[in-house]
Amino acid sequence: MFEYMGGQFPPWFDEGFAEVISTASFEREGAITYGKAANERRYELQQGTWTATAQMFAERTSGDRHAGVASYGQYWLTAHYLLFSPNRRGQLRRYITAINTGTEPDEAAESSFTGGITQLDNDLRSYLRAADFRYVAPPLPPEVMREPTIRLLRPSEAAAISSQAEASRTREVEANEALAVRAA
């Protein structure tokens, strides 16, 4: 998501997009499906507390993205609806563009989503009740389906892998400075 869609994303979309993609599967040669219903979230959506969409959209980014105001099920539902509903095509992009250009989240939602945030909340509840969760199975490009080319790593490449692994384990300035010298 971060590689192909530049910008900052609200916590509900970070987690909701991850949930949408988490159901990806290879069901037939040359295709991948994604966007299937996150069945493990069904119970929390049916039995859990519904957080008003306006409250969820007002949530700011935080250091701990797992401490959101809504459930992961509601994050999934919102992301899925905005990504797959033909009636909402382009609206999520408008919203993300607006918040990335400095528009407050509530104002961005009102101007980006047809009918505003209240209508979006109503539509999400209807989407959940209908339980008609579409998914896609796009064909994979031929270059993805080719047999991989395997080669031996050069000694410097092999050394870089262990340095990278070590760098991911430490946050101490002195250790990272020493690691940078060794890596160079």
Side-chain angles (χ1 to χ4, degrees):
M1 178 176 89
F2 294 115
E3 184 174 341
Y4 296 106
M5 298 169 59
Q8 297 293 313
F9 302 98
W12 67 264
F13 187 67
D14 279 354
E15 300 303 339
F17 185 80
E19 292 287 325
V20 167
I21 298 303
S22 74
T23 62
S25 63
F26 296 91
E27 295 179 10
R28 67 179 194 275
E29 185 71 24
I32 183 172
T33 63
Y34 67 94
K36 288 185 175 180
N39 288 323
E40 67 276 10
R41 301 296 178 201
R42 192 174 301 270
Y43 177 79
E44 69 186 58
L45 281 166
Q46 292 171 342
Q47 305 301 320
T49 303
W50 182 268
T51 300
T53 303
Q55 181 183 354
M56 185 174 70
F57 274 53
E59 182 181 20
R60 300 287 182 175
T61 58
S62 64
D64 181 7
R65 293 217 181 263
H66 300 290
V69 297
S71 70
Y72 274 59
Q74 194 170 343
Y75 290 157
W76 169 82
L77 182 77
T78 304
H80 193 278
Y81 177 65
L82 291 173
L83 289 167
F84 287 89
S85 173
N87 298 335
R88 295 288 182 171
R89 188 158 281 125
Q91 294 178 24
L92 176 62
R93 183 175 300 281
R94 278 198 304 272
Y95 172 75
I96 290 173
T97 299
I99 62 174
N100 275 279
T101 56
T103 305
E104 289 297 317
D106 57 341
E107 186 181 326
E110 284 299 322
S111 63
S112 300
F113 300 117
T114 302
I117 196 79
T118 301
Q119 184 61 51
L120 177 60
D121 188 82
N122 292 336
D123 291 351
L124 285 167
R125 291 171 193 255
S126 295
Y127 190 61
L128 175 59
R129 281 190 301 276
D132 181 20
F133 306 121
R134 301 166 194 261
Y135 65 93
V136 294
L140 295 173
E143 63 271 14
V144 173
M145 297 306 296
R146 279 190 305 230
E147 289 293 320
T149 302
I150 300 173
R151 67 173 178 79
L152 291 176
L153 296 176
R154 295 186 298 265
S156 60
E157 293 170 322
I161 290 173
S162 63
S163 296
Q164 184 178 11
E166 186 178 339
S168 69
R169 290 190 302 264
T170 183
R171 301 277 189 255
E172 298 172 8
V173 173
E174 297 83 17
N176 281 331
E177 287 173 352
L179 179 60
V181 170
R182 286 197 318 274

